[in-house]
Amino acid sequence: MAKKKPVYADLVEMFRLKSVSRSKILSRSKSVTNTFDFEENFIKRERMRKMETQKEIGRMRAELPKYTLNDIRMFKLPFHEALILQLEETGYASTEAYIQQLFQIDEQLRLEAGPQSFVWTRPALRHSDNELKKLSDALMQAEDEHKKGNYKNEFDTMLRVAIDFAFNYSDWFWLAEDLILQCICTANTFAFSGKHEAISRYVYARILYEKIKNFEKAEEELSITRELSLGKSWNVKSFLPEQTDSSNTLFMSANYLLHLCYMRQAKLFFKIDCNQALEFASLAKKRAVEACYHDGETMALYIKGQCELNLGQTKDAVSTFNKAFYIQSKLKSEKGMCEARVELSKAYLMHGSTRLALNTLLALKAMAEEHGFQFYLAQAYRYLGEYYLTCGEPHKATPLLSDALHTFHSIGLMAEADQVRNVAALSSGLELMPLYIPLLQKTDKRFADGFENLLKLAKWKDSRWFNGAWNELRN
């Protein structure tokens, strides 16, 4: 007999089936919901990506340089053409006109010099972008100051750029010359205190002396500078930083360059006109004193003394060289004192003061040996040898001249060595002459064996020549 099911079993089964169907429905609804959420997130991500891309493009675009019309013109046209157009548009009429004038000057200088000249091969201003930009910037700044009425600032700007082109660039001194002339014109036009004109003329003189080599014109400008700065404490350190000594005033600097100009003239005239050289040497000495340039003063005294010796003014020469020695002794310069003693000994000899000459040369020899000055030691040997030779004592002169010859050779001064060699040969000959004279006397035909002695003497001379020539060829 079959087992009877409980009454509630059907109800349990029914509820089970309902719960299974409900779970299936819920699982299906969850899958649909998940699919919808994925699609919605994908759309949002795409939208966010596009927004980020747009932001990045905007940022990169903002970082790009913004070119003006002038920038584009600078890129497309040659720099000098674009610069002229820019100056014209921005109202810098004076700068534009001056640069155009400089272009013409540059071209004219090149044509006048010709294709084979240095001027032809140097860089042209219109094709030198860096220099042209530096120049135009300074000129625009100067024009701005001029419009404001700040004429001193205008002058300072022009002077600084002129100095820069003169001494910091190798091929632009012609441009510096034109700029400095503009500075002089500005200083004269607006009647400054005189300092600005003096400084500009001093700089112009340096350009003429160091770069253009127009020494006569440099001397003129320096003379004007000297007159303008006389008694003034003006200094050029702010414009010329290489002049680090703040005690050097403009007056002293001008006198220093004038000293160099006069020294150059004195050296040029020394071989052709000693009177003219003497005048320039005296002027050089005065300017060196005003410049507090003691070594320059000594060099001027040397030339002055040498001119006086050539003119026969031996007493004045002695006094001049004594002044030179005094200056060098005050400076405690051993080499300077040696050089002064060399010149002083010559003056004493020519003046006839042989004892003073000897004492001077002995002092020179002692100082040169003490300090190891080989050149001055050789000079001492040489002039001591010449002194004894002049006094008729070749036996004392020959060893000294041999020492001088050896010393000159050891320091490589062959020209001086050749000069001493000739004097040493003369001294050796004079030293042997007393022995040679009796031999000559015995060749007199009044002696019975005179002819035989003559033959012996000739044979001896021939053997000496043959041995000397053979040794020379063998060596």
Side-chain angles (χ1 to χ4, degrees):
M1 184 174 174
K3 190 176 180 182
K4 190 176 180 178
K5 292 181 180 180
V7 177
Y8 57 86
D10 292 335
L11 291 173
V12 172
E13 183 66 19
M14 182 182 66
F15 280 117
R16 188 184 67 78
L17 293 173
K18 283 184 178 182
S19 63
V20 170
S21 61
R22 189 180 292 119
S23 63
K24 288 181 178 180
I25 292 170
L26 288 172
S27 63
R28 288 175 183 172
S29 64
K30 283 182 179 179
S31 64
V32 172
T33 302
N34 289 338
T35 303
F36 176 77
D37 290 342
F38 176 77
E39 292 177 354
E40 186 179 2
N41 290 338
F42 177 76
I43 293 171
K44 286 182 178 180
R45 283 198 304 271
E46 280 297 306
R47 190 181 296 117
M48 292 293 292
R49 186 183 65 78
K50 289 182 179 179
M51 289 176 64
E52 290 297 327
T53 302
Q54 291 298 325
K55 286 181 181 179
E56 183 67 18
I57 291 172
R59 185 185 64 79
M60 294 173 66
R61 185 173 293 165
E63 291 179 355
L64 289 174
K66 296 179 180 179
Y67 291 104
T68 63
L69 176 60
N70 186 61
D71 294 331
I72 297 171
R73 186 187 293 148
M74 288 288 185
F75 181 76
K76 292 288 186 180
L77 296 176
F79 180 78
H80 69 280
E81 294 182 12
L83 177 63
I84 294 299
L85 291 173
Q86 178 191 358
L87 294 173
E88 183 179 353
E89 291 176 357
T90 51
Y92 288 99
S94 298
T95 301
E96 178 201 352
Y98 185 51
I99 290 179
Q100 293 277 29
Q101 180 183 345
L102 289 174
F103 287 161
Q104 295 175 3
I105 293 173
D106 188 15
E107 189 64 25
Q108 183 179 355
L109 289 174
R110 289 162 60 82
L111 292 174
E112 289 177 355
Q116 304 301 323
S117 66
F118 163 74
V119 177
W120 186 272
T121 58
R122 74 187 181 192
L125 179 60
R126 68 173 66 243
H127 301 310
S128 303
D129 296 352
N130 293 333
E131 288 78 10
L132 188 54
K133 185 174 188 313
K134 183 180 185 64
L135 174 65
S136 61
D137 289 345
L139 291 176
M140 286 190 289
Q141 182 182 351
E143 189 169 349
D144 288 337
E145 298 294 346
H146 182 86
K147 291 175 181 177
K148 295 175 185 177
N150 298 330
Y151 302 122
K152 289 185 179 180
N153 291 344
E154 176 193 3
F155 173 89
D156 290 350
T157 303
M158 292 288 287
L159 183 59
R160 290 184 192 283
V161 74
I163 291 172
D164 197 11
F165 276 112
F167 303 111
N168 297 330
Y169 293 84
S170 58
D171 298 317
W172 299 97
F173 52 84
W174 69 270
L175 176 59
E177 181 184 11
D178 203 274
L179 288 167
I180 206 69
L181 290 174
Q182 294 292 326
C183 291
I184 295 173
C185 181
T186 302
N188 289 331
T189 302
F190 298 103
F192 297 149
S193 61
K195 176 181 178 180
H196 296 78
E197 181 185 356
I199 290 175
S200 55
R201 287 188 181 277
Y202 170 72
V203 174
Y204 185 33
R206 276 194 59 181
I207 296 171
L208 290 168
Y209 185 89
E210 297 177 13
K211 304 295 181 179
I212 304 177
K213 307 300 181 184
N214 188 343
F215 303 106
E216 290 76 13
K217 182 64 176 174
E219 182 185 333
E220 293 177 13
E221 295 296 327
L222 288 167
S223 298
I224 298 173
T225 303
R226 180 177 174 275
E227 292 176 6
L228 290 171
S229 59
L230 180 62
K232 305 292 192 305
S233 59
W234 297 335
N235 201 292
V236 293
K237 185 179 178 181
S238 59
F239 293 100
L240 298 167
E242 71 272 12
Q243 296 191 344
T244 54
D245 190 355
S246 58
S247 63
N248 285 344
T249 62
L250 180 60
F251 179 75
M252 294 169 64
S253 299
N255 280 305
Y256 172 76
L257 275 184
L258 273 172
H259 159 77
L260 296 182
C261 289
Y262 292 140
M263 283 292 290
R264 179 182 173 277
Q265 291 289 85
K267 291 175 182 177
L268 286 175
F269 279 103
F270 180 72
K271 295 181 179 180
I272 56 176
D273 189 345
C274 280
N275 286 309
Q276 195 73 20
L278 184 61
E279 291 181 13
F280 279 115
S282 300
L283 284 172
K285 187 251 182 187
K286 291 178 182 178
R287 297 298 168 260
V289 171
E290 292 175 336
C292 296
Y293 180 37
H294 301 299
D295 287 332
E297 183 181 357
T298 304
M299 289 186 289
L301 286 171
Y302 288 156
I303 294 182
K304 181 174 180 290
Q306 289 164 6
C307 290
E308 289 166 343
L309 287 179
N310 290 344
L311 294 170
Q313 302 170 6
T314 56
K315 184 177 180 180
D316 293 336
V318 168
S319 175
T320 299
F321 290 129
N322 268 314
K323 290 177 183 177
F325 178 77
Y326 175 77
I327 293 170
Q328 292 302 308
S329 62
K330 283 289 185 182
L331 295 175
K332 298 181 179 180
S333 170
E334 288 82 7
K335 285 188 176 181
M337 286 189 281
C338 286
E339 184 65 31
R341 280 186 169 124
V342 169
E343 301 297 335
L344 187 57
S345 64
K346 296 178 190 176
Y348 278 138
L349 279 174
M350 293 186 69
H351 189 58
S353 303
T354 54
R355 180 56 57 186
L356 290 173
L358 177 61
N359 292 338
T360 303
L361 289 171
L362 290 174
L364 169 64
K365 178 176 175 290
M367 179 170 280
E369 288 176 337
E370 179 183 357
H371 297 281
F373 298 150
Q374 291 299 304
F375 172 74
Y376 291 111
L377 182 60
Q379 292 280 67
Y381 286 143
R382 173 184 179 177
Y383 291 118
L384 278 170
E386 291 181 359
Y387 167 81
Y388 286 121
L389 192 60
T390 304
C391 294
E393 300 179 86
H395 61 284
K396 292 182 179 180
T398 302
L400 290 167
L401 292 170
S402 298
D403 290 340
L405 179 62
H406 174 73
T407 307
F408 277 130
H409 263 295
S410 67
I411 58 179
L413 296 177
M414 298 305 164
E416 287 79 358
D418 289 340
Q419 294 173 0
V420 173
R421 182 184 291 107
N422 295 332
V423 182
L426 177 62
S427 179
S428 298
L430 290 174
E431 191 176 358
L432 295 174
M433 190 59 67
L435 302 175
Y436 191 67
I437 290 174
L439 293 176
L440 287 175
Q441 290 175 342
K442 290 181 181 179
T443 61
D444 195 334
K445 60 183 179 181
R446 290 176 295 179
F447 292 95
D449 54 350
F451 184 72
E452 183 179 350
N453 289 332
L454 181 62
L455 291 177
K456 289 180 180 179
L457 184 62
K459 184 178 179 181
W460 172 71
K461 287 291 295 179
D462 289 343
S463 65
R464 287 190 65 204
W465 176 87
F466 177 78
N467 290 332
W470 172 252
N471 289 332
E472 184 176 351
L473 290 172
R474 186 172 60 180
N475 293 332

